[in-house]
Amino acid sequence: MKRYAKPPALLWTLGILVACSIPGPSLPSVTLWEFDKVAHFALFFGFGALGLWAYPQRVGWVITLGLAYAIGTEFYQGLLPWPRTPDPYDALANSIGLVVGVGVMYWVNQKLSRREGGVT
């Protein structure tokens, strides 16, 4: 476990919760619907990459908790007293971003491990 990696991972996780809590009408108007899914992908890509950076030996743990968070944030939005709509496609974008982020960081960790003689 890398101690210096924990604060960015925690801040990113809290940032996702804050972003998911912003009232819908307060969000900037975007004409491209795709931007919304790209944003969800990017948020959870960061979650997966930072999570695996902080806990490089816990791939399954990062994916399991990440998927629960990716799907749970959508349910959470449905419980908010202001306009936020849970969207299964957002949950899908979250989940794909998470898995890709974990995959990229896993690959980076493997490259670094080989370069450093097997130490991650």
Side-chain angles (χ1 to χ4, degrees):
M1 157 179 47
K2 299 175 180 177
R3 287 185 186 197
Y4 55 86
K6 283 183 174 182
L10 178 61
L11 288 173
W12 193 272
T13 301
L14 293 173
I16 290 172
L17 188 61
V18 168
C20 290
S21 300
I22 298 171
S26 299
L27 295 173
S29 152
V30 179
T31 56
L32 298 174
W33 70 268
E34 293 89 1
F35 177 79
D36 175 54
K37 302 307 176 255
V38 170
H40 281 271
F41 176 92
L43 284 172
F44 280 88
F45 178 95
F47 179 94
L50 289 171
L52 199 60
W53 183 41
Y55 300 96
Q57 303 300 322
R58 306 264 190 225
V59 178
W61 183 78
V62 172
I63 290 175
T64 300
L65 288 178
L67 286 173
Y69 196 48
I71 295 165
T73 54
E74 291 304 315
F75 284 105
Y76 163 74
Q77 287 180 347
L79 300 173
L80 292 172
W82 48 81
R84 284 303 296 238
T85 307
D87 182 352
Y89 292 112
D90 286 351
L92 180 61
N94 294 346
S95 300
I96 293 170
L98 168 78
V99 171
V100 172
V102 167
V104 167
M105 186 53 73
Y106 183 82
W107 178 80
V108 168
N109 283 343
Q110 293 300 311
K111 289 287 193 185
L112 291 175
S113 177
R114 286 187 192 114
R115 182 181 299 159
E116 296 171 1
V119 178
T120 340

